[in-house]
Amino acid sequence: MSDVVLVINSERRRDPEWLDQLADELQEDLRQIRGLAVRKATTSAATGAKSGALEQIGQLVASGGAIGTTAWAVRDIVIKFLDRTRATSVTVKRGDREVTILRPKDGQVDEIVDRIRAVLDDE
């Protein structure tokens, strides 16, 4: 079974340390899913570099025998992560397929709350 890559995105320019911290947080969150192995993504270093691999900042690789059955759990964890960290989105990739989970903008969340209030309001 092929690995799944998760890429943390932000509209605002952030330094690599910030993205690395976010990757650590999401990695820890995803490790709650039984049978899912999560590690930081790496790529081959350029020819002549001292190390054979370079860490891909803001990217994780998830794998596990039943990764397809964990879609709901991954979605829930990513949504909570986006809300907590204020990152813009997380893109989940497998081969040439991908989906991007977006954090709703504050105005969208406020609109949803207003709609819920209207439905629940005792008139």
Side-chain angles (χ1 to χ4, degrees), residues 4-18:
V4 174
V5 177
L6 295 100
V7 182
I8 301 167
N9 307 300
S10 177
E11 288 178 353
R12 294 171 255 162
R13 291 228 178 254
R14 297 289 187 152
D15 56 74
E17 291 82 18
W18 181 78

Side-chain angles (χ1 to χ4, degrees), residues 19 30 36 38 49 51 54 61 67 70 79 81 87 90 94 97 101 104-105 112:
L19 282 173
L30 290 169
L36 188 67
V38 184
S51 175
L54 297 173
V61 176
I67 197 163
T70 64
I79 289 172
F81 166 80
V90 171
R94 179 182 247 164
R97 297 176 296 168
I101 303 169
K105 300 205 183 312
I112 292 168

Side-chain angles (χ1 to χ4, degrees), residues 39-116:
R39 59 182 164 73
K40 291 198 176 174
T42 56
T43 187
S44 297
T47 305
K50 288 186 176 186
S51 175
L54 297 173
E55 184 178 301
Q56 295 293 97
I57 303 297
Q59 296 187 32
L60 300 171
V61 176
S63 60
I67 197 163
T69 62
T70 64
W72 289 93
V74 170
R75 181 210 58 185
D76 290 346
I77 286 172
V78 167
I79 289 172
K80 289 176 185 174
F81 166 80
L82 290 171
D83 187 49
R84 181 181 75 240
T85 64
R86 310 297 284 173
T88 306
S89 66
V90 171
T91 301
V92 180
K93 300 178 182 184
R94 179 182 247 164
D96 61 351
R97 297 176 296 168
E98 68 179 55
V99 63
T100 299
I101 303 169
L102 300 171
R103 181 183 59 81
K105 300 205 183 312
D106 292 337
Q108 292 170 317
V109 173
D110 292 343
E111 181 181 333
I112 292 168
V113 171
D114 290 343
R115 286 182 174 183
I116 292 171

